[in-house]
Amino acid sequence: MAGEVERLREGYAALNRGEWDRSGEFMHPEISWNFVEGQGPDAPQTLSGPERIVEFWSSFFAAWEEWEMAPEDFVEAPDGRILVSVHFRARGSGSGFPMELDYWQVIEMRNGKIYRVDNYLSRPHARRACGLQD
């Protein structure tokens, strides 16, 4: 798991620097990014493929003057997936509106690349989804 966690840390760092092409290099060609909890009715529930995911995130982050997705904890689940707790901080472009949010990602890796991401707003839901007890 240590090698996979290091790859994930590198991917978060590239994303935080706005290195969209570089962040896509950490994704498996068949990646699926799923918003299990927390998306609005008009937002996509699933993004497929590195290009679509990079396009979505670059558009999302354009609304913020500054942002950071800070991974705080990495836990290996019984099934081999990795549970990542993330703290998101941002300040709106123009408005200066501050936002902070904690969320959890259940990540499946394949061949050293991110194959599947399931986003959760609830820690207990994320832990149960990957077979961990609270």
Side-chain angles (χ1 to χ4, degrees):
M1 182 178 101
E4 291 178 336
V5 168
E6 185 55 35
R7 292 282 297 161
L8 289 173
R9 286 187 192 281
E10 291 173 21
Y12 282 107
L15 189 65
N16 283 324
R17 290 188 301 266
E19 296 174 355
W20 309 119
D21 290 339
R22 176 92 172 110
S23 65
E25 292 173 11
F26 293 90
M27 299 177 202
H28 189 281
E30 297 174 8
I31 187 173
S32 173
W33 198 298
N34 306 289
F35 296 93
V36 179
E37 298 175 332
Q39 284 293 89
D42 296 330
Q45 298 303 307
T46 299
L47 302 170
S48 299
E51 297 83 13
R52 177 65 182 109
I53 293 166
V54 166
E55 174 187 299
F56 174 82
W57 284 119
S58 63
S59 174
F60 173 80
F61 287 125
W64 305 100
E65 185 174 320
E66 58 185 51
W67 73 87
E68 180 184 25
M69 292 174 63
E72 297 182 332
D73 192 32
F74 297 83
V75 177
E76 185 172 11
D79 64 5
R81 292 183 290 170
I82 301 169
L83 174 63
V84 183
S85 60
V86 181
H87 184 73
F88 176 74
R89 286 181 283 275
R91 189 163 41 97
S93 292
S95 72
F97 178 80
M99 179 181 167
E100 292 198 32
L101 174 71
D102 291 318
Y103 64 97
W104 293 262
Q105 295 182 313
V106 177
I107 299 176
E108 180 181 344
M109 303 287 286
R110 285 210 184 150
N111 302 317
K113 296 195 178 235
I114 302 167
Y115 179 73
R116 181 183 174 102
V117 179
D118 293 332
N119 284 348
Y120 292 86
L121 294 178
S122 163
R123 180 180 179 269
H125 291 169
R127 289 183 61 82
R128 278 195 297 273
C130 60
L132 294 168
Q133 301 298 317
D134 256 353

